[in-house]
Amino acid sequence: MNSSVTSGKYFWAWRKWAVELAISQHINVYEIDWLLQRVTNLEPLTLRLESIGDDELLNISISLDELSALWLTRVNTRKPVQYLLGITTWRDFDLVVSPAVLIPRPETESTIDIALANSSRLQQQGIWVDLGTGSGAVAIGLARSLPDAAIYAVDCSLAALEVARMNAVRLGVIDRISFHQGNWWSPLDELRGKVSGMLSNPPYIPSKDILGLELEVRAHEPHLALDGGIDGLQAIETLIETSAEYLESDGLWAIEIMAGQSKMVVDRLVAQGSYDRIQVIEDLAGFDRFVVCKRI
């Protein structure tokens, strides 16, 4: 794609066309301004107020024709715009994404805050593990927020790990994170009893519900990162049963869940017998989103 210069008049005309198309196809118009910010570096307020005059010239990283082709691909194929651009924003940094990894959601950003709020200063200098790292978002967030910790990131997908490593290199934390391929704790046998904190955003959607997801998700995002088995709890139950062997006493166990699963997860943690101080934490929309506890 080649950079281009366009006038405010044509720029706003393009935005109006894209918004009308999005509305007609039930696509969130927020995506358009996010896309335009990426290709112009304009501030959100500038876009919202349309404060660039018709005669003003605007630098844009791709031509309006290329931008139109990209937006039509978004509309016609329902492929997420983050995959089309190959990048997304998470917390205060950008991440490379591809169909090999789930697009990290804004709700998941709270995982890092939960880690900080539920660990001691000494634990924050210990060993932290991100199981099912995907794009590397959580592992990188930990590396940036816990500068004295040792971070381990695990995924069963080699393609996902390639993306995660790429992000760690881009963000300057590749020397802070140890990447491992395997299922959950399986490649980390040497860490038994030594881990200060484990974070995970495991697949938690019941298999029967996958086909009911919006087309952007079910047709383009990896089912490996979505499908949680018959009741959505297959991976979560594995994490409940196996994590106690790896966490140190008082070590943090924190996962993201689907709304409606919190009681089942809490009941299983209690039944396992290795955890206490169990909390359910809501997201900003008021839905149960995280379950957090400590290793006894």
Side-chain angles (χ1 to χ4, degrees):
M1 295 183 179
N2 300 314
S3 60
S4 180
V5 176
T6 190
S7 69
K9 177 181 178 179
Y10 288 114
F11 179 80
W12 297 122
W14 186 93
R15 182 174 179 270
K16 180 182 178 183
W17 165 78
V19 166
E20 291 174 349
L21 185 57
I23 291 171
S24 72
Q25 299 299 314
H26 308 290
I27 292 173
N28 193 331
V29 296
Y30 165 79
E31 290 189 22
I32 297 164
D33 282 355
W34 182 85
L35 173 60
L36 292 176
Q37 288 173 55
R38 306 301 313 192
V39 300
T40 64
N41 292 319
L42 290 176
E43 295 295 323
L45 186 61
T46 302
L47 291 165
R48 192 158 60 247
L49 298 179
E50 298 189 12
S51 55
I52 292 176
D54 284 353
D55 295 329
E56 289 187 61
L57 296 180
L58 182 66
N59 290 313
I60 183 170
S61 62
I62 62 176
S63 71
L64 289 182
D65 285 343
E66 290 173 310
L67 195 60
S68 296
L70 187 149
W71 189 245
L72 284 170
T73 299
R74 166 71 183 96
V75 171
N76 294 331
T77 68
R78 293 293 169 142
K79 190 170 187 177
V81 69
Q82 295 94 331
Y83 287 154
L84 291 172
L85 284 185
I87 201 162
T88 194
T89 301
W90 196 78
R91 284 181 74 86
D92 58 347
F93 51 88
D94 287 342
L95 291 165
V96 170
V97 290
S98 79
V101 301
L102 200 69
I103 299 168
R105 274 37 175 195
E107 309 90 77
T108 309
E109 295 179 8
S110 298
T111 306
I112 307 303
D113 302 313
I114 288 169
L116 295 174
N118 289 276
S119 57
S120 67
R121 186 176 297 276
L122 182 61
Q123 286 177 317
Q124 292 176 10
Q125 299 171 5
I127 296 171
W128 287 76
V129 176
D130 172 23
L131 296 180
T133 194
S135 65
V138 170
I140 291 167
L142 284 173
R144 290 164 65 95
S145 298
L146 302 178
D148 298 317
I151 314 298
Y152 289 74
V154 177
D155 205 288
C156 63
S157 166
L158 287 173
L161 286 172
E162 288 180 10
V163 174
R165 285 193 185 96
M166 187 187 310
N167 281 317
V169 170
R170 290 179 68 254
L171 291 162
V173 293
I174 188 63
D175 60 333
R176 299 278 325 287
I177 304 173
S178 177
F179 292 95
H180 299 267
Q181 194 269 333
N183 290 312
W184 309 119
W185 289 103
S186 62
L188 302 179
D189 194 61
E190 76 278 8
L191 298 186
R192 289 176 185 271
K194 300 177 182 178
V195 177
S196 296
M198 180 227 75
L199 306 181
S200 183
N201 179 14
Y204 51 64
I205 299 173
S207 301
K208 62 180 174 55
D209 294 343
I210 297 293
L211 291 179
L213 298 174
E214 59 186 8
L215 186 58
E216 284 83 349
V217 177
R218 72 173 186 266
H220 297 286
E221 298 202 66
H223 285 204
L224 184 66
L226 298 169
D227 193 338
I230 293 174
D231 59 1
L233 299 177
Q234 180 177 321
I236 293 172
E237 288 178 335
T238 296
L239 293 175
I240 291 171
E241 291 301 320
T242 58
S243 297
E245 299 179 27
Y246 294 84
L247 291 170
E248 64 185 9
S249 178
D250 206 40
L252 176 69
W253 185 94
I255 66 163
E256 183 172 329
I257 62 168
M258 185 173 76
Q261 291 178 332
S262 59
K263 184 180 186 304
M264 293 183 289
V265 175
V266 170
D267 288 347
R268 284 163 170 78
L269 284 166
V270 171
Q272 204 280 339
S274 298
Y275 309 95
D276 65 4
R277 289 160 285 177
I278 302 170
Q279 313 173 54
V280 176
I281 299 176
E282 296 179 348
D283 60 22
L284 294 177
F287 295 108
D288 290 353
R289 183 60 59 191
F290 305 95
V291 178
V292 180
C293 62
K294 293 294 188 76
R295 173 74 164 92
I296 293 172

